[in-house]
Amino acid sequence: MSDQPSGFTFNGRPVALRIGQSVAAALTEAGQRPFRVTAKGEKRGMFCGMGVCQDCLVTVNGVPNQRACMTPARDGMQVATQVAFAALTEQPAVQTQEGRQLAPDVLVIGAGAGGLNAAIAAAGSGAGVVVLDERKVSGGQYYKQAAGAASVLDTQQQDGAALIAAAVSAGVEILSEVEVWGVFEGLLVMAHHEGRALIARPRTLIVATGAFERPRMVPGWTLPGVMTTGAAQTLWRSYRTLPGKRVVVAGSGPLNLQVALELSRGGADVVMVSESARPPHRQPLAAARMVASGPRLAARGLAMSLGLRQRGVNVAHQTSLSRVVEVENGLKASFKDAHERQIDHLVDAVCMNDGFEPQNEILRLLGADMRYDPAFGHLRCKRDSTMQTSVPQLYAIGDCAGLGGAPAASVEGTIAGLAAASYCRDMPLPDLRKLQSSLAAHRRFQQRLWALYDIGPRDLSAQDDDLVVCRCEEVSLGELRQALGTAPGHAGTVKRATRAGMGRCQGRYCGPVTARMVAERDNRQVEDRSFYAPRVPIKPVSITAILAAQEMLDGTD
């Protein structure tokens, strides 16, 4: 018998399956874009590719609300389109396994560049370390590991695999496919893992949850086939699945160039990369400062640009996505250049990255102090030189504390791991001067790199009222504007008036927009309290998981 799976069904139709693919990857490879239907009858598909947006929901074997991007595809599955307010045809299994309680010296949430380096440093200093990771395979967004039988793509994936192996060799326990859904005062962490509750009470907690991509909110940005650039990269790097045959990449930042080149090499026809910033040669001083602060990294960026040119991929600077329309057999993506000329392309997929938003819900729930960075349009966590936040024994590293890039996250992780282990082992803190000097250099390069790009928050004032801002609850820009005219000056009151932010993604996309709209109306600065208040559960989780955790807590009181 063949060891290759034959596939599964989607709405009764067969879908081929390769070992290791997610449901979303297998459906995308089969040309299936819509995964669910909203309450207003609109189609939705894969968008973020990392379990944040909650828009790729499908029903699997009668159980609804399964994220296709996070669900491994298995032979014989019966997958169906998720309908709004889906009824259960089969009841989810009640937890029968005994839950697990952890009390490590150091608990790390997130197994990307920062989290793995933190775990290695802490374990190497004698601390007991556990890492909780939401993904099936560690490595995070930067190292995106190949799944199943997919071969290692490049040195970036090789470096990630080596980092994971180093963590295991150091004695770090890595738990994968863990859904952290609650954190509480005293560094109490509640999660769900392999069908049972997991409760952790670490002596120190290192949060390394990364960031998610900010979209370009234009008409049509919620259509199936429109996804983040990172989602397209996950499809290719992890599953060797192209987002489509003809692709455009839009927004601003070096990730767009990298992914466009990877997709082109993988066989996609990348018809254009639209970059809203001016070309580097039109910013000679900023470009020279960036090169001087990181010549090797700058050379990598130049190589990507040259690679795209050699493959005939057009990088159109000062050009922005303006609209996406569903047409027969695909999407029509419209762009405006610096002269307001319209450029149209017929494609299968539109990939967008317009900056990043930190995944800082855990930090905010625990009360860590934040400050608003207007240049990037997001919150940055306040930390000391050891990456400790304003909450004792709570450390924040990497992009969850504010965009800084993987090299900086790696060094921050090492510093935080050493500091956490020093506290737990009651040892003197080692000399961190070399690490902090290296960190300063990485941060300097990042600052000068981003000066070349256009990653600030977008002004939606010129958009029509019917633009969808809240994907989950389908709240329009006009509804937000109307609420601003009647509601008191806080995003929370707008949320209650419109339901924006009450959906499954809990306002991760519409929340920053609403906060800025309220601040602009009231002519005041955005700050931490301007945003929707984080709440438990951090991400959707079954009632049975919450009840099981509560029973465990009751049993230990």
Side-chain angles (χ1 to χ4, degrees), residues 343-354:
I343 304 166
D344 295 331
H345 288 291
L346 296 179
V347 296
D348 301 309
V350 177
C351 308
M352 56 168 63
N353 175 292
D354 216 29

Side-chain angles (χ1 to χ4, degrees), residues 93 96 103 115 121 133-134 171 201 212 216 229 277 359 391 396 398 419 484 491 506 513 516 520 543 549:
T96 56
D133 191 32
E134 187 177 23
R201 300 176 187 267
F212 58 95
R216 173 71 64 129
T229 303
Q359 292 206 77
V391 178
L484 282 174
Q506 299 188 3
V513 174
R516 286 191 289 269
E520 182 178 353
I543 293 295

Side-chain angles (χ1 to χ4, degrees), residues 517-534:
M517 289 177 67
V518 172
E520 182 178 353
R521 186 201 68 169
D522 294 343
N523 194 27
R524 56 186 171 83
Q525 298 295 315
V526 179
E527 56 186 17
D528 184 11
R529 295 182 182 275
S530 302
F531 290 77
Y532 297 150

Side-chain angles (χ1 to χ4, degrees), residues 353-407:
N353 175 292
D354 216 29
F356 295 86
E357 297 286 349
Q359 292 206 77
N360 55 21
E361 297 82 12
I362 292 175
L363 299 170
R364 295 181 68 214
L365 274 168
L366 292 174
D369 290 343
M370 301 276 170
R371 66 174 179 86
Y372 183 71
D373 183 342
F376 286 82
H378 63 222
L379 294 171
R380 290 189 180 273
C381 184
K382 296 180 180 179
R383 300 170 291 173
D384 65 16
S385 60
T386 67
M387 307 303 123
Q388 186 170 210
T389 71
S390 59
V391 178
Q393 284 72 63
L394 172 65
Y395 300 81
I397 59 174
D399 290 346
C400 70
L403 187 62

